[in-house]
Amino acid sequence: HFGGGGKPEGTQSYIVLNLPRSGSSWLQEVSMMHPGIKVQFELGIEKANEALTCKQCYRSSIPNTKFASRIPPKQHPPKACGMSLFSEHNSIEAVRVQAEKHKAKLLILLRKNHVAHAVSSYRHFTPGHNNRVPWDSARVTKEVEKLKGGYDKLLQFAGRVGRPAYLIWYENMSRDPERVWAGIERFLNLQGANMSSFSELHPKASTKQSIQYLEHLDDIQRRLGGGSWGEMVMNG
C-alpha cells in the first residue's frame, strides 16, 4: 500500500485492453511473477484511480492461477502499476480520460485469426465446455461476426485514446514468449528491475485446433461468404 494517494515517482501506469480469450490470463500470470509490477485484471475503468496509482497491493487477489504461491515480493515503489479492461465493456472516452489523467500507456491484445478466436470463445463459454460442446455452425458464425465488431472497436482505442500503444499478438505468446515479454519490458521501461524471481517465463498454452473446427471449416466459409472470408480469418 502506498500512502498519500498519488502514484510513486518514476512508476509507469498502463492499461491492458482486450477481448475475452485473447491471452490476458497469460499476461496476468507473467506480470504477477515480475517483482516490479503491480497489476489488477478484469476491472472496470471506474477503478482506474486505485489501480493506476498503486493504492492497493493485489498480490492476494489473483484468481485461479497455479503460480499464486510463487508470486515474489514486490519492489517498493514498483516499476509499473496497471489494470486490464475488456474493451467491449468500457467506453473509449472513459478510457481516454483516465489514460490521460494517469499518463498511462496502452497494451492491446489481439488475435490474428478471427475464426479460431470465435471457436475458442464458443467452446469456452458454451455450457458443456470444450470438446463436449455440440457443434453449431450458425452460432460460431455469429461469434465470428461479433468478434469482428469487437476488433473494430478495440483498434479504435489505439487511435482515439491518444496515448502510446503497443500491440501484442496472441499467437506470439505461444511462439516466442521471451520476445513478447522483452517488447513489453521496453515499452513499459522495466529494464533494470530485479528479475531473480522471474526465471521461468512460460509460453502461452497453445489452443489446439478443434477437430470440429477443421471438419466444419467449409460450412463456416460458405456462411460467411467468399468476399469477407479472408478479411475475417486474418486480421493484420
Side-chain angles (χ1 to χ4, degrees):
H1 179 81
F2 295 92
K7 182 175 65 176
E9 185 177 355
T11 297
Q12 175 64 59
S13 294
Y14 70 96
I15 298 172
V16 180
L17 291 158
N18 64 281
L19 297 169
R21 309 299 295 166
S22 58
S24 61
S25 294
W26 177 87
L27 186 59
Q28 173 187 18
E29 292 171 351
V30 174
S31 298
M32 290 309 301
M33 293 300 292
H34 193 297
I37 295 177
K38 290 191 174 181
V39 60
Q40 176 72 329
F41 279 73
E42 299 181 8
L43 297 176
I45 192 61
E46 68 276 3
K47 298 291 187 180
N49 284 332
E50 289 79 13
L52 300 183
T53 58
C54 302
K55 287 185 178 179
Q56 299 292 330
C57 175
Y58 296 109
R59 183 181 186 278
S60 61
S61 63
I62 302 304
N64 302 323
T65 173
K66 59 187 176 183
F67 299 100
S69 63
R70 292 163 45 199
I71 294 174
K74 297 297 183 176
Q75 292 175 310
H76 299 281
K79 291 277 189 177
C81 286
M83 65 187 300
S84 82
L85 312 169
F86 286 133
S87 56
E88 58 188 344
H89 299 151
N90 294 274
S91 75
I92 295 174
E93 178 60 18
V95 173
R96 186 196 67 76
V97 169
Q98 293 298 332
E100 181 60 35
K101 175 181 178 180
H102 298 285
K103 306 302 180 187
K105 294 183 175 181
L106 306 181
L107 297 176
I108 299 178
L109 308 186
L110 300 164
R111 290 183 70 154
K112 294 182 179 180
N113 191 320
H114 286 152
V115 174
H117 193 173
V119 171
S120 176
S121 296
Y122 170 72
R123 294 173 65 200
H124 183 79
F125 293 113
T126 300
H129 204 62
N130 290 338
N131 291 329
R132 293 185 294 275
V133 175
W135 182 258
D136 187 330
S137 294
R139 288 184 60 188
V140 173
T141 302
K142 288 181 180 178
E143 189 67 30
V144 174
E145 294 167 344
K146 175 185 174 182
L147 281 171
K148 186 176 186 299
Y151 273 102
D152 288 343
K153 178 182 177 181
L154 182 59
L155 289 170
Q156 288 183 45
F157 280 94
R160 293 175 57 185
V161 170
R163 297 293 302 163
Y166 188 71
L167 305 185
I168 304 170
W169 295 104
Y170 173 94
E171 290 78 5
N172 291 341
M173 296 177 189
S174 176
R175 186 181 304 116
D176 195 349
E178 289 84 3
R179 185 173 181 180
V180 170
W181 186 254
I184 294 172
E185 281 195 309
R186 288 192 298 271
F187 183 67
L188 296 179
N189 302 314
L190 292 173
Q191 296 95 325
N194 178 11
M195 298 294 286
S196 60
S197 301
F198 194 61
S199 59
E200 299 181 20
L201 179 60
H202 64 291
K204 169 72 185 78
S206 298
T207 301
K208 295 182 180 179
Q209 289 185 315
S210 168
I211 294 176
Q212 293 173 319
Y213 161 54
L214 296 175
E215 289 177 346
H216 295 277
L217 192 60
D218 289 341
D219 185 28
I220 297 175
Q221 181 174 356
R222 176 182 59 77
R223 288 172 178 269
L224 289 174
S228 59
W229 171 248
E231 178 185 354
M232 286 191 174
V233 171
M234 294 301 295
N235 176 29

